[in-house]
Amino acid sequence: TPLTREQAVDNVLAVETGVAIPSYVDHDIKDEGWQQWVYAGQWWLDRMTDCSRPVLEKMTWFWHGHFTSSWDKVNSAKAMTTQNKLFRDMALGNVRELAQAMALQPAMLYYLDNAENVASSPNQNFARELLELFTIGVGHYTEDDVTACARAWTGYNLNWDTEEYQYYGYDHDNGQKTFLGVTQNWNGPQIIDFLLQGNSTTKAQAAELLSRKLWKYFADDAPSTEVIQHLVGVLSSTMDIRPWVKALFMHDEFYSAKTRSGLVRSPIDFIVAANYYAGFRTAVTYPDTEMVCHPEWYVEGMGQVPFAPPNVSGWKTNGYWVNSSMMSARAEYARHLTWMLRHEGANDLISGPNETLIPSDVVVDALAARFGVTLCAETRDAMIAYSQRTRVSEPWGSWWESTNLLTMIMISPEFQQA
């Protein structure tokens, strides 16, 4: 019996819980930081490829790009993977609770310098990004509010011996502070509670910032006013994430022709899709064979490195990924997978019974089905024409025909669409 839309969405959102971080990267190992970063990225990409409900990893990545921290600055496998676990554990939980937890985790304390934010020398980095990027957005606060917020977060620091969060009361500014028009002896967690729970105006502002970001992440760059208002209404009521994501997946606009063709796969989405359809995983999944993919060699060229957002704003979306250098890096990764697919002559696409050649159009259609795409007429015709031209010069069939067609399907325009 076919599922209704709501039944299908509920199934998609029935994610697993309690995912453990691999033991190799849940603590810091001296002189193995680079190896731990590679392992952590490979493990995460394989999880994205194989987990039973991929929306869990999609939302983990969403929060990774929103409440950003970078391995480069944090320089701690333990801190970064603990943050990663938080984003996964609370991916569909509550925004306020997630914000409270991330604010006190070592990765964020390191990354935005609240580890050193003390009353005698307030540091505004975390306070500013909490307001500008994480919650209410530009235009809804003043520089005085940033100052008050920074003072409120003094003393919420890092114990440099244990490398864990610790509150130091003697470093907290206990003076009166005026934040968004309210004067009191604010502390850090009270700021988040006010923004995401206690004030209906700031809740709505944060809900709008997040809703626009979520729609651009899952759908396209031009959401209608109606869909944003609907998502804001759902999120701002309780700040619960699951019903908010469900509202997006249930909305008719999410299934419109514009939306269905309006999103370019990010580099990470491209790698995950290519790995899935090509059938390869990293050394984390297949440690005992040389036939593993190595996305860590290509992610920087593509412009999206796991555990390393480019800055506190996270990654841009959609059309940002369409340029010659980044697309060239995708082509290099497609070729990387192609060489493995064609290892020792495997994955011959063109040979039929008795060594006859399968018709070019049948080959191209079968390849498109294998990689989960519906080719437009122009792309399909171009691939068929390539196949036919190759057979003019080598009528018995060419090793290069199958090889190049495999690469071509992964760099086709249709395969770049999410």
Side-chain angles (χ1 to χ4, degrees):
T1 303
L3 299 178
T4 66
R5 180 186 296 180
E6 184 166 17
Q7 287 172 330
V9 170
D10 286 341
N11 182 276
V12 165
L13 293 174
V15 300
E16 61 187 309
T17 59
V19 177
I21 295 295
S23 59
Y24 179 63
V25 289
D26 67 1
H27 62 293
D28 294 319
I29 302 174
K30 186 178 180 180
D31 298 328
E32 294 190 26
W34 184 84
Q35 293 93 326
Q36 288 188 291
W37 168 76
V38 170
Y39 189 100
Q42 290 181 340
W43 171 79
W44 196 2
L45 286 167
D46 285 351
R47 265 206 57 80
M48 292 179 193
T49 307
D50 290 326
C51 68
S52 60
R53 299 291 189 278
V55 73
L56 176 60
E57 299 307 320
K58 286 285 288 184
M59 287 305 299
T60 304
W61 187 271
F62 175 81
W63 295 119
H64 175 47
H66 182 69
F67 295 126
T68 57
S69 298
S70 174
W71 199 297
D72 291 343
K73 181 174 181 179
V74 174
N75 195 29
S76 167
K78 179 181 179 182
M80 291 302 297
T81 57
T82 299
Q83 183 185 68
N84 180 262
K85 180 170 172 54
L86 173 72
F87 292 156
R88 185 172 294 102
D89 289 346
M90 301 188 71
L92 296 172
N94 180 275
V95 174
R96 180 187 63 83
E97 293 172 5
L98 174 57
Q100 291 283 20
M102 72 84 195
L104 301 180
Q105 281 202 316
M108 185 58 67
L109 294 170
Y110 279 125
Y111 185 63
L112 289 181
D113 304 313
N114 220 67
E116 302 177 17
N117 183 17
V118 296
S120 61
S121 182
N123 187 302
Q124 294 188 356
N125 283 1
F126 176 71
R128 184 175 302 280
E129 308 310 348
L130 178 66
L131 300 179
E132 178 181 338
L133 297 174
F134 297 168
T135 57
I136 57 179
V138 174
H140 300 306
Y141 61 89
T142 67
E143 283 299 305
D144 288 341
D145 293 322
V146 174
T147 299
C149 185
R151 290 174 59 203
W153 281 101
T154 54
Y156 293 84
N157 305 144
L158 194 73
N159 182 316
W160 295 101
D161 293 325
T162 65
E163 297 186 332
E164 298 288 350
Y165 158 73
Q166 186 166 331
Y167 175 70
Y168 294 98
Y170 55 81
D171 276 328
H172 177 67
D173 184 335
N174 284 295
Q176 297 285 34
K177 314 165 191 74
T178 301
F179 178 71
L180 294 178
V182 178
T183 302
Q184 64 182 45
N185 178 16
W186 289 94
N187 65 38
Q190 287 174 340
I191 293 286
I192 289 179
D193 281 345
F194 180 84
L195 292 171
L196 300 179
Q197 184 180 59
N199 184 285
S200 59
T201 298
T202 56
K203 279 177 66 179
Q205 291 164 348
E208 180 173 355
L209 182 149
L210 285 164
S211 294
R212 290 189 181 280
K213 195 166 189 175
L214 188 78
W215 184 267
K216 289 181 179 181
Y217 181 69
F218 276 110
D220 61 44
D221 281 343
S224 68
T225 300
E226 188 279 328
V227 76
I228 293 300
Q229 288 177 341
H230 178 64
L231 293 176
V232 168
V234 174
L235 182 59
S236 62
S237 61
T238 63
M239 301 306 286
D240 285 337
I241 301 166
R242 186 184 299 269
W244 174 56
V245 176
K246 179 176 178 177
L248 183 146
F249 290 160
M250 288 294 295
H251 202 282
D252 286 344
E253 191 168 323
F254 187 68
Y255 299 91
S256 69
K258 176 179 76 73
T259 299
R260 291 171 68 90
S261 62
L263 192 65
V264 176
R265 276 179 168 145
S266 73
I268 293 302
D269 287 332
F270 168 77
I271 288 170
V272 169
N275 287 358
Y276 176 82
Y277 288 110
F280 290 105
R281 305 296 183 267
T282 73
V284 170
T285 300
Y286 299 127
D288 298 323
T289 176
E290 294 181 0
M291 291 301 295
V292 297
C293 60
H294 289 278
E296 70 276 8
W297 297 346
Y298 301 89
V299 287
E300 186 173 359
M302 292 188 204
Q304 197 171 38
V305 181
F307 296 103
N311 52 56
V312 72
S313 298
W315 289 282
K316 297 179 182 179
T317 58
N318 215 9
Y320 174 78
W321 304 118
V322 183
N323 62 62
S324 57
S325 62
M326 291 181 181
M327 285 297 172
S328 176
R330 294 191 190 208
E332 290 175 3
Y333 189 69
R335 204 59 164 177
H336 169 61
L337 295 184
T338 298
W339 294 135
M340 294 191 296
L341 284 166
R342 295 292 280 136
H343 181 63
E344 295 183 351
N347 289 284
D348 176 27
L349 307 174
I350 64 175
S351 297
N354 301 317
E355 298 184 358
T356 59
L357 294 183
I358 301 172
S360 296
D361 59 337
V362 175
V363 170
V364 170
D365 289 344
L367 189 57
R370 173 175 174 175
F371 278 81
V373 296
T374 300
L375 299 176
C376 72
E378 185 177 9
T379 303
R380 181 176 181 270
D381 289 347
M383 292 183 68
I384 292 172
Y386 163 76
S387 171
Q388 292 173 339
R389 285 196 305 272
T390 301
R391 295 178 184 191
V392 169
S393 59
E394 298 186 55
W396 56 86
S398 167
W399 185 89
W400 284 105
E401 181 180 345
S402 291
T403 301
N404 289 336
L405 285 172
L406 283 163
T407 301
M408 292 165 82
I409 196 69
M410 286 185 275
I411 62 173
S412 67
E414 291 78 4
F415 196 72
Q416 311 315 309
Q417 289 184 334

